[in-house]
Structures are given as structure tokens and as C-alpha cells.
Amino acid sequence: MNMMTTPAAPVTKLGGSSRFSAIAVQNGLVHLAGQVSQLEDGDIAAQSRDVFAKVDALLAEAGAARENLISVQIWLREMEDYAGMNAVWDEWVSDITPPTRVCVEARMAKPHYRIEVLALAAIG
């Protein structure tokens, strides 16, 4: 995975796409692009676990960890998945002080996406 480090506003040219960077590090903050699951048959619990694992891996690559999370934004394809996602979320943040969070319903870019997660964390 490509990571961008810059003292200025991130430029969107890395991460395997000309559209966006998967990770941008700026002034000690790690900005993650929206993470989705590629599990086409996964229910909300499976997709949530998959996405939160991706967030963990990307944070580690940038020198941060779940404990360093500041804010998380979550989009769900349908709010009927809210309880199922929260069950996985509660487990994922059970050993840390939870970050601020918002969760809303939104249309997804692909029909099998049930969840998308964007995160902001501090390094160290």
C-alpha cells in the first residue's frame, strides 16, 4: 500500500489509483481513505470485521494503532445493519478509549458494499 507524507494538504496520486491515496500522513495525523470490504457474500458482521482489520493494518503501516484513533466516520448501506455493525464495533474498541464517531446511511459505490469506514488517528 502506498502512503503519502506531506506537510501540506495531501495530493491524491498514490495508493494504486490516480484518484486517491490510501493513507496520507500530515502533521502527525494519519488520514485513511474510506475502507470497504470485498466480501461479496459477507453479512454486516463479516464485512465490519474485515473493514476494521483493514483499518488496523493501515494504521500500523503509518506508525499508528487503534489506540491512536481520534475520529471514525461510518457509512452503512442500510440502517438495518446498525446493530450488527455496533456489535463488531463494540468488540473492536473494547480495550481502548473509543474515538468520536458518526454513522449514517448512504448509497454505496458497489452493491455488495454494506459498510465504509474513514478514520483519523495520531501517530504514536
Side-chain angles (χ1 to χ4, degrees):
M1 189 67 58
N2 290 328
M3 177 174 57
M4 168 192 298
T5 303
T6 176
V11 177
T12 58
K13 296 291 181 189
L14 302 175
S17 169
S18 61
R19 290 188 180 143
F20 63 89
S21 297
I23 306 169
V25 178
Q26 179 184 26
N27 297 328
L29 295 176
V30 179
H31 302 260
L32 299 186
Q35 299 301 305
V36 294
S37 176
Q38 298 304 321
L39 301 174
E40 293 193 23
D41 296 326
D43 65 6
I44 189 60
Q47 285 202 14
S48 296
R49 281 187 203 93
D50 185 48
V51 169
F52 295 147
K54 285 181 176 184
V55 170
D56 284 335
L58 289 170
L59 289 173
E61 188 173 332
R66 189 179 324 149
E67 294 81 3
N68 306 115
L69 283 168
I70 297 167
S71 179
V72 173
Q73 297 176 32
I74 300 172
W75 295 274
L76 297 176
R77 183 176 72 195
E78 50 195 44
M79 288 310 289
E80 288 79 11
D81 284 340
Y82 188 68
M85 180 279 300
N86 269 332
V88 177
W89 169 270
D90 291 344
E91 180 181 305
W92 190 60
V93 298
S94 67
D95 59 346
I96 65 167
T97 301
T100 63
R101 188 188 95 173
V102 64
C103 181
V104 298
E105 181 179 75
R107 286 183 64 177
M108 297 292 175
K110 293 187 178 179
H112 69 274
Y113 294 167
R114 301 184 71 91
I115 181 173
E116 183 166 354
V117 174
L118 180 143
L120 173 69
I123 292 180

